Amino acid sequence: FDIDCQGAAQLAAALPRDVVRVFILPPSISALEARLRARAQDSDDVVARRMARARDEISHWDQYDYVIVNHDVAASLDQLKAVVAAEQQRRDRQTGLAAFVDDLA
């Protein structure tokens, strides 16, 4: 999901074992603003509101399980895939693992 920090907190509270929170940070505030402006989809007022909201969201980075700094989209996607892969391998997420290990003994 792509949700704000309040939504992430609500999901994590409701499903504490099933939610992994990943925060994507821009490489800098100026880079974020440049990306928004390069899209040429929003007025200056909208960009200003989005920047203010982004600053507020960024202040909650420490409430997340993982943080990725998005210097490069492809590299950031690879990092996100690595987080997902690691979380899938967690012992407590693998159903039937205990029975599998018992059969090995």
Side-chain angles (χ1 to χ4, degrees), residues 28-104:
S28 67
I29 289 296
S30 60
L32 176 60
E33 185 170 358
R35 289 173 181 177
L36 290 174
R37 292 194 184 283
R39 294 178 187 169
Q41 295 176 341
D42 298 322
S43 68
D44 288 342
D45 290 341
V46 171
V47 170
R49 283 195 301 273
R50 290 186 71 183
M51 290 301 298
R53 183 170 175 226
R55 283 185 173 88
D56 178 59
E57 291 285 323
I58 289 169
S59 73
H60 298 280
W61 70 272
D62 59 348
Q63 298 170 8
Y64 287 71
D65 303 307
Y66 297 89
V67 176
I68 296 172
V69 179
N70 185 13
H71 292 284
D72 173 77
V73 173
S76 295
L77 180 58
D78 288 343
Q79 291 172 346
L80 181 59
K81 287 177 182 179
V83 167
V84 170
E87 285 293 326
Q88 289 173 333
Q89 298 306 306
R90 286 178 54 131
R91 182 184 70 242
D92 60 343
R93 293 191 193 280
Q94 295 188 49
T95 57
L97 186 59
F100 173 78
V101 172
D102 286 346
D103 286 346
L104 292 176

